[in-house]
Amino acid sequence: MKKIVLATMAIVGLLITSTKAQTGHVEATKTPPQVIFTKLLNTPSLKNQEFKMVLVTFQPGEIGAPHRHPIPTFAYVIEGEFESTFNGKTHHYKAGDAFYEEPNLVHGQTKTLGDKPVKLLAIFIGDKGKPFIEPAK
């Protein structure tokens, strides 16, 4: 249970880190992701792993750019509703939903539904300094 909580907190921390600072210049949303927490984990089972909590905001009508996450991603929808095409399959999420994404699979498109912003709390855990988002190739 502790490992799941730590991993979840790590992923959220990674999402909050500025994508520009982490990857050079990746913008998957109009509003840059905001890292709200980062913690380097050095426990017997998690050596030199960085945990990041990231607040991701999509504006109404926004369609996110294709991208991938090179490390495991956990997310919780705080508010709003959206569709996300992940590895060729479209998923529908709304406030209160949580989900997990395997590393390195492509987000083809993410689009908001309705007239309210979408806010996600994303959690990443991975090797220290490894980016949490990259452009899709």
Side-chain angles (χ1 to χ4, degrees), residues 72-87:
T73 304
F74 298 85
Y76 176 76
V77 183
I78 298 168
E79 64 182 58
E81 190 172 355
F82 68 102
E83 285 184 349
S84 182
T85 303
F86 184 70
N87 203 35

Side-chain angles (χ1 to χ4, degrees), residues 15 17-33 64-70 131-137:
L15 284 174
T17 302
S18 168
T19 50
K20 288 182 183 177
Q22 289 291 315
T23 62
H25 192 74
V26 176
E27 291 187 22
T29 62
K30 291 179 184 174
T31 304
H67 64 280
R68 69 180 73 235
H69 302 285
F132 64 87
I133 188 170
E134 298 175 337
K137 296 175 184 173

Side-chain angles (χ1 to χ4, degrees), residues 81-114:
E81 190 172 355
F82 68 102
E83 285 184 349
S84 182
T85 303
F86 184 70
N87 203 35
K89 185 176 179 186
T90 300
H91 303 272
H92 180 225
Y93 299 108
K94 62 185 181 322
D97 289 344
F99 55 94
Y100 170 77
E101 297 175 353
E102 294 283 337
N104 293 312
L105 299 179
V106 175
H107 273 264
Q109 175 177 297
T110 301
K111 68 178 180 177
T112 60
L113 302 173

